[in-house]
Amino acid sequence: MIHVLFVCLGNICRSPMAEAVFRNMVEEEGLSEQIRVDSAGIGHWHQGEPPHEGTQNILDQNHISYEGMRARQIKETDWDEFDYIIAMDEQNMRDLEAIRDEYEGVTVKRLLDLVPDAKEQNVPDPYFTGNFDYVYDLVSEGCQYLLKEIKEAHNL
């Protein structure tokens, strides 16, 4: 089983969007038995809350389920449980390194680092920008490349 964790600041906008989008892609590829997906936030502010209304709306528009998803804070043991920890932006990367800077056997990177010639390096936070459509496009593209990388690396 390959374990993928998406991380953003509060775990109500970007990372749950990525979790839902990626899980949908994994299901469409018939890989649900091989890949497990989750998300977490750097902060604890929204712990237990469902995804932000803007995230829910864009996922609803694209017929992607977020059923049962609740925000949680990342914990140090996540590095031992996940094979991929995928951050939404550079600040998330710095925050992750502050939590645990030494790890083995886990890939930690920004989502858009996977996209060749990406128009952005960081997925902007729609909690502040309100641009959930643009974030959905970036997340979807990044997730496609992540799935491609995982399939190639693990011969799926």
Side-chain angles (χ1 to χ4, degrees):
M1 179 72 75
I2 300 154
H3 299 89
V4 179
L5 180 67
F6 293 99
V7 177
C8 70
L9 186 60
N11 193 216
I12 59 167
C13 294
R14 297 171 292 171
S15 59
M17 184 186 297
E19 176 187 352
V21 167
F22 193 70
R23 180 178 290 120
N24 187 63
M25 289 178 180
V26 165
E27 288 170 2
E28 287 179 349
E29 292 277 331
L31 297 171
S32 297
E33 298 298 317
Q34 288 94 357
I35 302 173
R36 187 184 125 231
V37 189
D38 195 6
S39 63
I42 298 296
H44 66 284
W45 317 284
H46 300 289
Q47 217 159 255
E49 293 179 21
H52 185 281
E53 182 180 327
T55 293
Q56 290 183 32
N57 289 341
I58 194 74
L59 293 173
D60 286 341
Q61 289 171 27
N62 289 280
H63 311 288
I64 297 174
S65 175
Y66 49 87
E67 184 179 343
M69 291 175 56
R70 295 278 182 240
R72 74 171 181 91
Q73 186 174 19
I74 193 164
K75 52 193 186 304
E76 192 173 340
T77 57
D78 285 329
W79 277 259
D80 302 319
E81 297 172 18
F82 288 88
D83 303 293
Y84 295 84
I85 298 178
I86 307 297
M88 296 296 117
D89 63 32
E90 189 59 39
Q91 183 60 53
N92 300 152
M93 288 293 290
R94 285 193 294 274
D95 292 337
L96 289 169
E97 290 166 3
I99 296 168
R100 184 167 176 180
D101 64 348
E102 290 186 30
Y103 45 86
E104 192 174 312
V106 60
T107 299
V108 181
K109 59 174 66 172
R110 284 184 303 186
L111 180 63
L112 295 182
D113 287 343
L114 297 158
V115 179
D117 303 316
K119 50 189 162 199
E120 300 269 358
Q121 292 182 318
N122 298 301
V123 177
D125 192 341
Y127 186 84
F128 301 106
T129 68
N131 198 344
F132 287 88
D133 292 327
Y134 182 59
V135 168
Y136 177 82
D137 291 343
L138 293 173
V139 163
S140 295
E141 185 177 26
C143 285
Q144 288 171 356
Y145 281 99
L146 175 60
L147 185 55
K148 181 177 186 245
E149 179 176 301
I150 289 171
K151 285 170 62 175
E152 289 173 1
H154 300 276
N155 298 313
L156 300 177

